[in-house]
Amino acid sequence: FIGIDPGRRNGIGEVMPGYRGDVVPLPLLDEEAEHMLSVVARTHDQIETIAATYAIGDAVAIVAGPHAGERGLIRTVKHGELIVALIGAPTTFNIAIDPQHMRKLTPEETKIALQEKEEATKSVMQRKQDDDFQQDKEIVYGSASQEAQLRARREKKRNKKLATESHQDP
């Protein structure tokens, strides 16, 4: 049964003053009940199939869809899909993937994928260090020009302020 309340209720469920209706229980139609039960059964079957094939932390390769060719680690299951953290790039992010679009990696493939991830991370860190060094170098060797630019900006501001004040003094 589903309760249908044609009346008006306040935020905590109490009937508002002046309302004289009651909740009227109505039976579900057979089609509605069958649909609800089939959704539950399908979801249960999907979760059992996923649980029999994959485990949290498994390394997988995505073989179909927009992320085909990527590799990742299974984080969790949500709505019949696996949430996978992609490991092919220096930064990881989670995406939902249909279990039919992936396969488990062998231990050798897993080792290679993790080494590639580590190398990509090292490469990014090295580039960041190089960029930081270059910026430090520019600050040290470019300090005279930066000071000149700062003086020029201050002078321009001061002139603008003086011009504004002179127009207001008539």
Side-chain angles (χ1 to χ4, degrees), residues 10-88:
N10 64 12
I12 57 173
E14 297 170 341
V15 176
M16 294 177 66
Y19 172 63
R20 296 185 183 174
D22 291 323
V23 174
V24 181
L26 297 174
L28 286 173
L29 298 174
D30 288 340
E31 299 86 35
E32 292 172 325
E34 287 174 17
H35 176 70
M36 289 172 59
L37 292 174
S38 71
V39 168
V40 170
R42 250 192 336 261
T43 303
H44 187 263
D45 290 344
Q46 286 176 338
I47 291 173
E48 282 185 0
T49 303
I50 292 170
T53 309
Y54 300 103
I56 304 298
D58 281 350
V60 295
I62 301 168
V63 296
H67 299 285
E70 297 287 339
R71 290 176 264 190
L73 299 173
I74 296 175
R75 295 284 185 213
T76 188
V77 178
K78 186 175 184 179
H79 305 298
E81 292 186 318
L82 292 168
I83 306 300
V84 177
L86 297 182
I87 58 173

Side-chain angles (χ1 to χ4, degrees), residues 2 31 40 42 57 71 81 119-120 124 135 148 156 161:
I2 297 178
E31 299 86 35
V40 170
R42 250 192 336 261
R71 290 176 264 190
E81 292 186 318
E119 289 171 8
V124 167
Q135 287 175 356
K156 186 177 179 181
K161 185 177 179 183

